[in-house]
Every structure is written in C-alpha cells, then in structure tokens.
Amino acid sequence: MVRDDIAQLIAEAIRRAQKKGELPAFGLPEVPVTRARDEAFGDYASPVCMTLARVARMAPIAIAERVVAHMPPAPFIGKVEAAHPGFINITLSPQWLTQQVEVILAEGERFGHLDLGKGRSVQVEYISANPTGPLTIGSGRNAVLGDALANVLAAAGWRVHREYYINDTGTQVELFAASLYARYAQALGCDEPLPEGGYPGNYLVEMGHQLAQEYGERFLTMERGQALTALREEGLKRMLASIQADAAALGIHFDSWKSERSLYEDGIYGLVFNRLSAGGWLVHRDGAVWFTETPHTSSGGDHQATEEQQTEALVRSMQDKDNVVVRSDGRPTYFASDIAYVWDKLVTRGFDWAIYVWGADHQGHVPRMKAVTRALGLDPNRITVILYQLVTLKRGGELVRMGKRTGEIITLREVVEEIGADATRFMLLTRAAESQMELDLTLAVQQSNENPVYYVQYGHARIASIFRYARERGFSPEGGDVSLLIHPAEQALIRQMVRLPETVALCAESLSPHHLTHYAQELATAFHAFYKECRVVSEDAGHAEIGRARMKLVQAAKIVLANTLRLIGVSAPESM
RNA sequence: AGGCCCGUAGCUCAGAAGGACAGAGCAUCGGAUUUCUAAUCCGACAGGCGCAGGUUCAAAUCCUGCCGGGCCUACCA
C-alpha cells in the first residue's frame, strides 16, 4: 500500500541523512503518514519531523528539509516537499496514477484485496438472536456489522467463517415452547393462558393458528411434556427458517448454524467443565456451581484470619465477580454454554481468532468470557467482542420500546420491505459501532430515496450506461492509452480509486467497516465530478484517443465501485 | 452507587489512533445541462468540537473533574 511505502521511504531518508551526518543519531520512531488535509499539501503528509525535533535538537522544518533531500526515488512519488512548521508533504506522481488504471483493470475483483490475515482463520459470529421471535431491526445492526466485517476480513486475507449461534436450549426456549403451546391451544378454542414471562408477540399467535390448522389436536392429545418438546422443535424450526430468510433478504448467508444444545450432546460441555473443575476455577456455593476468577488451588489453605473486615470485603468483592455456571436446580446457565462454545471455537474447530458481535447490553459478559478463556488455558486475545450501541427507535418522534419479551417488535423484515435491503444495510453501516444511533422509522421511510447508497449505486449505473451507449456506437476501450489521463478530474478520480486497499486495511485493523461507506461516497463524488467535467464517448474528431483512455478509466472506476459495494454488501446495479 | 459507550453545524453523523485553517449528507438559499442517466455538478449559509482544568512544540482526539444521554451491574439470554 502506498501509505506504508511512503512511511518506509521516509524512514530510509532519515537513515540516509543520519549516515551523511546531516542528522544526529537517534532511534527511529514509527513514521506516521496521514492523508494530507488539503489538496494544496499533496496526497500524503507526515508530521514525523515535529516529533524528532527534540531528540535531534533541531528545528522541525530543518529536519524536514534534510529528510526531503534524501528521499529515495520511487515510482509513485511525484513531489516531496518540506512545509512549515515541519511537515513532509508527498504528492503522488500523475503518471504513476494513470498507470494504476491498468493495474486495477488487471486485478479486477481482486483489487482491494490484501494479505494482512496471511491466511489465518477467523470465525465471525453474528446476529445469533434467540430463535424465539423474528429478527428485529436491532438485530439488523448486528447483522450488517458482522457481515460487512466478515467481508472486510476476507478481503484482508483472513480465512473467514461466518456463524450463527442458535440458543436452542435453556429458559427462554422453554418459555417459547410454553408460549407456543398456549397460542396453539387457544387457536383450538382452549382457555390456555400465556405462561408468566412468556412471549406475547403476535407472531406466536399466527404460528399457533398454523400449527392448529396443520396438525389439528395432535399436540393436545399428547402428554403435556411431550407436546411441549414437540412444539418446541417445530417452533424452533419455523423460527429459524424465518430468521434465515430475513438474513438472506439482506444478502447474509452463514457458513454454519451452531446449535447450543449440540455443545452438550457432543460432550464439549462435559470436557470443559472437568477442565475448569480440575483447575480450581469452579466453586460450590448456595447449591450452585460458580466460576471464579480467583482459583482455589487445593494447596492454598492458609487463609489465616488476618484483618477480618478487610478480608471479608475482599472476599465479597471477589464473589461479586463470580458467575453461576450451574444453577442450584442442576441446569447449566447460558454462561456454561458460552464456555463450552469458546472451547469449541478455539480448540475443537481450531479457529485462530473468534470475533463475537454483541449489543452493548451484553457488555458485562465480556470480562467473564475473557477470564474464562484464560482459565481454560487459552489466550484471551484470541477472542474479540465487538460491542455496538443499541439502536434507539422512534416512530414519528415517539420513542419505541422494543423487545421480543415485551411484544413490541419492529421486525427487520418490515424495514427491509419498506426501504429495501441496500438502503437498510447502508444506513445501518454508516455509523461507527460504538456510536449510538437514533433511527426514526417514519423519517427513514420518507427519506429513503435520499439514502447515500443511491448516490453510490448511481455512479455504478451511470458507468454501465456509458458502456451501453459506447457499444451501440461501436466504441471500445481497446488500445486506450491511460497515460493521457492527466485532467484534474481524472486524476482526482484515480486518487480515490487507489485508496481502496488502505481503506480495507483501516476497516480490518480497526474492525470498523463503517469507513467503507464513507469511502464509497467519496469515490462516487469523484466519479460524478469527473462525469460532469470529462466526456467519455464522443464522435468528435480528435476525441477518439482520449475517449479510449477514459473508457479504461471508467471501466476501472466501475470495478472499484463494485468491489466497494460488494464489501458493504450492497448491490451494484447496471441501471437505475 | 459503580462500570462501559456517547456528547462535533438546524438534523443525522464522519473525523484514519495527537498534527497544518474542523468535514460530509440532509435541510435552507443561489447558480449550472441543446451531447454518455438531473438519483448529477458548482457555490453560499452554518459549529470551534458539552463545560472547566491539565499534559504537549501541537488536543475534537490523551488525563482529571463536572454536566447531559444510552446501556449494564440476574441461579434471563
């Protein structure tokens, strides 16, 4: 990537200047390179000389001048200048830029791909919403974030595995089954109340009706326990199918759907439990089994009664951090499953890295997961949790309190049907995960045609249209000479195109795919400006040569736009 | 009470891990096209980055305190 190359060149220049005695000897720091703030300063800038002023005991500008004088030549560098108060400004070579068009054409779909991951494997687990109801718009942010992140990591050279974790066991699932039973029975005219804490949502009423229609009284005639199990399985199956369809509507497809229950059936839970137990990480208290972050080794028996109050406070604070793994009634908690699951990810299946995408309401769970990973003898850095702030929903300015358990649900499907998959994805992805976002559905629907996604897609469609027009008239980019592309608008467009790789790197390294949406807009802006300024296809005499070159440019721009949109997970239409 | 996140133009948000005069979209106002899609382009208006200190040659970015908002602090998931 250009940016990294520049940093290396500057470092080399500093070493050369030192060797010549023009700069004093000092340890070389990491050289920061940023995009220049203003075009007038060139493309990239480095403030490194300002940091060096102290160790070099020289004015920053003087250092910069000497560094500039020793910059090794490189094909992509057009101009290097020292600027007050001590910046090194780098302008890309116009000719090198023009050649990038050929590079992009040659790389095609692979342009923007990197090898940061070096083929290591990463599992990205996202959505994983309880299959006790349809996906909500809240899950949508999770979905979009996780999916775009997976795309970005794949482009950055990781072997990516996408997974949905199905919570198909535990209290909530039993409640779901009981709720479904009630709705089913009600559909058949029985006076069966919804269980306490059950799911009041309308979707279960509908499912109850369907089941009543399809199966008649079959589940009523069964023994109740059996009926609950049967309905649970039937309900989960249907719920998952609906979730899968909702995800697919957003263009999301998982490599695998991992069942929580399977962690128990496959013995992973037992294995992990024994391991923790042997390590002294489990304590029994109040009839339950707790995971403790301060292990009780059998040798550590010297709990002498020191300052009593202090010890008591200490023990209490440590106990506060303990978490129940097995309830006093013998049923494991979801935390127990998660412990087995992390083992399954990192050991059984051997992913190098596991990324979880969680809503901010799960933040408290992160330290536990890190601690338990360490307790299992695994490097906690092999798991990363991405927390995103929950979406605050409004409808015409009114706050909507939402939840499957409250029954008030705005489904993802509703929103996708209303404003479309592309607009939904783009909208949910433009903001950084840690930023709270407020979504007024009324406004979102009203303004969906102002969604920036269309601006970007329009760029792609416009290029497609240029080619249709060109084809009709028998023009082709064949033999175009890209070195002619020196118009400011052409150069500006190429500059943006060339930035895709470093944008991918930025997104991958910071695990923040939202930068891509901003990049996409800047790229589209450069294209639209070019389109206005520069005619591509023309029958004018004397235009043929530049026309062919511009067709190549526009073809390359189309590739970059398409690649960017693919990473975001949005379609790149041929016409709009 | 404690913990995590956020507070940047009228609105919704970026701001590349401390750097050069603070950015975009929307909204408002004013311009542009006899030619490849006007879902376009150009321009204007508009904030000094919640407040107060501190660190630094340099702070929207780091530290402290305060204010405001969201979330969390279950033998729910």
Side-chain angles (χ1 to χ4, degrees), chain A residues 130 135 139 150 207 232 241 257 272 298 398 417 454 466 514:
Chain A
N130 271 355
L135 288 184
S139 309
M207 198 185 284
R232 183 188 70 198
W257 296 68
V272 166
S298 44
E398 289 280 309
E417 279 171 1
Y454 299 117
I466 292 175
H514 74 278

Side-chain angles (χ1 to χ4, degrees), chain A residues 3-37:
Chain A
R3 209 178 132 102
D4 298 346
D5 294 343
I6 288 173
Q8 284 187 12
L9 287 178
I10 292 175
E12 177 56 26
I14 294 172
R15 275 193 293 270
R16 289 188 185 185
Q18 285 178 320
K19 205 170 281 177
K20 290 248 170 137
E22 292 182 29
L23 287 177
F26 51 75
L28 208 59
E30 202 174 313
V31 178
V33 175
T34 60
R35 279 179 68 207
R37 177 144 226 131

Side-chain angles (χ1 to χ4, degrees), chain A residues 358-369 385 387-389:
Chain A
W358 288 349
D361 52 341
H362 289 57
Q363 62 192 238
H365 194 42
V366 178
R368 296 204 267 286
M369 285 309 295
V385 178
L387 290 175
Y388 61 92
Q389 296 299 312

Side-chain angles (χ1 to χ4, degrees), chain A residues 156-209:
Chain A
W158 291 85
R159 284 196 346 259
V160 175
H161 183 93
R162 299 153 197 261
E163 182 151 290
Y164 187 113
Y165 179 56
I166 309 167
N167 301 110
D168 54 2
T169 178
T171 316
Q172 293 310 315
V173 176
E174 299 314 322
L175 273 171
F176 167 75
S179 307
L180 180 56
Y181 182 89
R183 294 307 193 191
Y184 161 76
Q186 286 166 9
L188 291 168
C190 300
D191 186 22
E192 178 77 26
L194 206 61
E196 197 177 329
Y199 290 89
N202 223 3
Y203 57 92
L204 278 188
V205 178
E206 285 168 28
M207 198 185 284
H209 273 282

Side-chain angles (χ1 to χ4, degrees), chain A residues 26 58 65 79 151 175 274 290 404 416 439 445 483 505 520:
Chain A
F26 51 75
M58 286 170 68
E65 279 162 1
K79 204 165 58 175
N151 291 345
L175 273 171
N274 289 336
W290 305 66
K404 281 174 209 156
V416 171
L439 186 62
V445 170
S483 69

Side-chain angles (χ1 to χ4, degrees), chain A residues 1 6 51 75 83 124 139 141 144 154 174 177 186 193 218 230 259 274 308 319 339 386 431 491 504 566 575:
Chain A
M1 269 176 302
I6 288 173
T51 22
V124 185
S139 309
R141 189 171 193 187
V144 163
E174 299 314 322
Q186 286 166 9
R218 183 166 151 192
S259 148
N274 289 336
E308 284 163 40
Q319 287 188 352
I339 299 171
I386 299 194
R431 278 76 172 193
Q491 290 267 309
V504 171
R566 195 179 314 114
S575 68

